PDB file of all heavy atoms in Angstrom:
ATOM      1  N   VAL A 117     -16.547  13.023 -10.020  1.00  0.00           N
ATOM      2  CA  VAL A 117     -16.509  11.596 -10.317  1.00  0.00           C
ATOM      3  C   VAL A 117     -16.096  11.434 -11.774  1.00  0.00           C
ATOM      4  O   VAL A 117     -16.721  12.004 -12.667  1.00  0.00           O
ATOM      5  CB  VAL A 117     -17.871  10.927 -10.070  1.00  0.00           C
ATOM      6  CG1 VAL A 117     -17.799   9.436 -10.417  1.00  0.00           C
ATOM      7  CG2 VAL A 117     -18.307  11.117  -8.622  1.00  0.00           C
ATOM      8  N   LEU A 118     -15.031  10.654 -12.011  1.00  0.00           N
ATOM      9  CA  LEU A 118     -14.509  10.426 -13.353  1.00  0.00           C
ATOM     10  C   LEU A 118     -14.778   8.988 -13.781  1.00  0.00           C
ATOM     11  O   LEU A 118     -14.781   8.070 -12.950  1.00  0.00           O
ATOM     12  CB  LEU A 118     -12.995  10.686 -13.408  1.00  0.00           C
ATOM     13  CG  LEU A 118     -12.479  12.003 -12.848  1.00  0.00           C
ATOM     14  CD1 LEU A 118     -10.960  12.077 -13.013  1.00  0.00           C
ATOM     15  CD2 LEU A 118     -13.150  13.198 -13.508  1.00  0.00           C
ATOM     16  N   GLU A 119     -14.985   8.795 -15.078  1.00  0.00           N
ATOM     17  CA  GLU A 119     -15.108   7.440 -15.611  1.00  0.00           C
ATOM     18  C   GLU A 119     -13.735   6.756 -15.557  1.00  0.00           C
ATOM     19  O   GLU A 119     -12.776   7.285 -16.117  1.00  0.00           O
ATOM     20  CB  GLU A 119     -15.601   7.482 -17.052  1.00  0.00           C
ATOM     21  CG  GLU A 119     -17.006   8.020 -17.218  1.00  0.00           C
ATOM     22  CD  GLU A 119     -17.425   8.069 -18.680  1.00  0.00           C
ATOM     23  OE1 GLU A 119     -16.567   7.771 -19.544  1.00  0.00           O
ATOM     24  OE2 GLU A 119     -18.593   8.408 -18.942  1.00  0.00           O
ATOM     25  N   PRO A 120     -13.620   5.617 -14.897  1.00  0.00           N
ATOM     26  CA  PRO A 120     -12.295   4.973 -14.769  1.00  0.00           C
ATOM     27  C   PRO A 120     -11.648   4.645 -16.106  1.00  0.00           C
ATOM     28  O   PRO A 120     -10.426   4.737 -16.238  1.00  0.00           O
ATOM     29  CB  PRO A 120     -12.606   3.699 -13.974  1.00  0.00           C
ATOM     30  CG  PRO A 120     -13.866   4.000 -13.239  1.00  0.00           C
ATOM     31  CD  PRO A 120     -14.652   4.897 -14.144  1.00  0.00           C
ATOM     32  N   ALA A 121     -12.436   4.289 -17.103  1.00  0.00           N
ATOM     33  CA  ALA A 121     -11.864   3.847 -18.371  1.00  0.00           C
ATOM     34  C   ALA A 121     -11.376   4.989 -19.242  1.00  0.00           C
ATOM     35  O   ALA A 121     -10.505   4.797 -20.102  1.00  0.00           O
ATOM     36  CB  ALA A 121     -12.891   3.021 -19.145  1.00  0.00           C
ATOM     37  N   THR A 122     -11.946   6.207 -19.044  1.00  0.00           N
ATOM     38  CA  THR A 122     -11.631   7.316 -19.947  1.00  0.00           C
ATOM     39  C   THR A 122     -11.115   8.567 -19.246  1.00  0.00           C
ATOM     40  O   THR A 122     -10.495   9.411 -19.887  1.00  0.00           O
ATOM     41  CB  THR A 122     -12.878   7.709 -20.745  1.00  0.00           C
ATOM     42  OG1 THR A 122     -13.877   8.231 -19.842  1.00  0.00           O
ATOM     43  CG2 THR A 122     -13.450   6.513 -21.497  1.00  0.00           C
ATOM     44  N   GLY A 123     -11.398   8.710 -17.955  1.00  0.00           N
ATOM     45  CA  GLY A 123     -11.027   9.923 -17.239  1.00  0.00           C
ATOM     46  C   GLY A 123     -11.996  11.067 -17.439  1.00  0.00           C
ATOM     47  O   GLY A 123     -11.798  12.156 -16.879  1.00  0.00           O
ATOM     48  N   ARG A 124     -13.056  10.873 -18.197  1.00  0.00           N
ATOM     49  CA  ARG A 124     -14.037  11.935 -18.423  1.00  0.00           C
ATOM     50  C   ARG A 124     -14.919  12.113 -17.195  1.00  0.00           C
ATOM     51  O   ARG A 124     -15.288  11.140 -16.531  1.00  0.00           O
ATOM     52  CB  ARG A 124     -14.894  11.626 -19.649  1.00  0.00           C
ATOM     53  CG  ARG A 124     -14.159  11.742 -20.969  1.00  0.00           C
ATOM     54  CD  ARG A 124     -15.139  11.753 -22.135  1.00  0.00           C
ATOM     55  NE  ARG A 124     -15.791  10.464 -22.271  1.00  0.00           N
ATOM     56  CZ  ARG A 124     -15.393   9.502 -23.104  1.00  0.00           C
ATOM     57  NH1 ARG A 124     -14.309   9.697 -23.865  1.00  0.00           N
ATOM     58  NH2 ARG A 124     -16.048   8.364 -23.184  1.00  0.00           N
ATOM     59  N   ALA A 125     -15.279  13.363 -16.921  1.00  0.00           N
ATOM     60  CA  ALA A 125     -16.146  13.669 -15.785  1.00  0.00           C
ATOM     61  C   ALA A 125     -17.563  13.180 -16.068  1.00  0.00           C
ATOM     62  O   ALA A 125     -18.093  13.378 -17.167  1.00  0.00           O
ATOM     63  CB  ALA A 125     -16.147  15.161 -15.512  1.00  0.00           C
ATOM     64  N   THR A 126     -18.171  12.541 -15.083  1.00  0.00           N
ATOM     65  CA  THR A 126     -19.541  12.056 -15.243  1.00  0.00           C
ATOM     66  C   THR A 126     -20.567  13.155 -14.980  1.00  0.00           C
ATOM     67  O   THR A 126     -21.738  12.991 -15.320  1.00  0.00           O
ATOM     68  CB  THR A 126     -19.825  10.895 -14.275  1.00  0.00           C
ATOM     69  OG1 THR A 126     -19.767  11.381 -12.919  1.00  0.00           O
ATOM     70  CG2 THR A 126     -18.796   9.781 -14.462  1.00  0.00           C
ATOM     71  N   GLY A 127     -20.140  14.233 -14.343  1.00  0.00           N
ATOM     72  CA  GLY A 127     -21.055  15.292 -13.955  1.00  0.00           C
ATOM     73  C   GLY A 127     -21.543  15.165 -12.524  1.00  0.00           C
ATOM     74  O   GLY A 127     -22.121  16.106 -11.975  1.00  0.00           O
ATOM     75  N   GLU A 128     -21.288  14.023 -11.890  1.00  0.00           N
ATOM     76  CA  GLU A 128     -21.689  13.827 -10.498  1.00  0.00           C
ATOM     77  C   GLU A 128     -20.679  14.504  -9.573  1.00  0.00           C
ATOM     78  O   GLU A 128     -19.461  14.373  -9.756  1.00  0.00           O
ATOM     79  CB  GLU A 128     -21.767  12.339 -10.171  1.00  0.00           C
ATOM     80  CG  GLU A 128     -22.270  12.043  -8.765  1.00  0.00           C
ATOM     81  CD  GLU A 128     -22.431  10.563  -8.485  1.00  0.00           C
ATOM     82  OE1 GLU A 128     -22.203   9.761  -9.405  1.00  0.00           O
ATOM     83  OE2 GLU A 128     -22.792  10.232  -7.343  1.00  0.00           O
ATOM     84  N   LEU A 129     -21.192  15.233  -8.567  1.00  0.00           N
ATOM     85  CA  LEU A 129     -20.350  15.930  -7.607  1.00  0.00           C
ATOM     86  C   LEU A 129     -20.636  15.413  -6.206  1.00  0.00           C
ATOM     87  O   LEU A 129     -21.793  15.117  -5.860  1.00  0.00           O
ATOM     88  CB  LEU A 129     -20.592  17.443  -7.663  1.00  0.00           C
ATOM     89  CG  LEU A 129     -20.323  18.130  -9.008  1.00  0.00           C
ATOM     90  CD1 LEU A 129     -20.683  19.611  -8.922  1.00  0.00           C
ATOM     91  CD2 LEU A 129     -18.872  17.965  -9.428  1.00  0.00           C
TER      92      LEU A 129
END
Side-chain angles (χ1 to χ4, degrees):
V117 179
L118 309 181
E119 295 179 355
T122 65
R124 289 194 292 264
T126 65
E128 184 176 357
L129 300 177

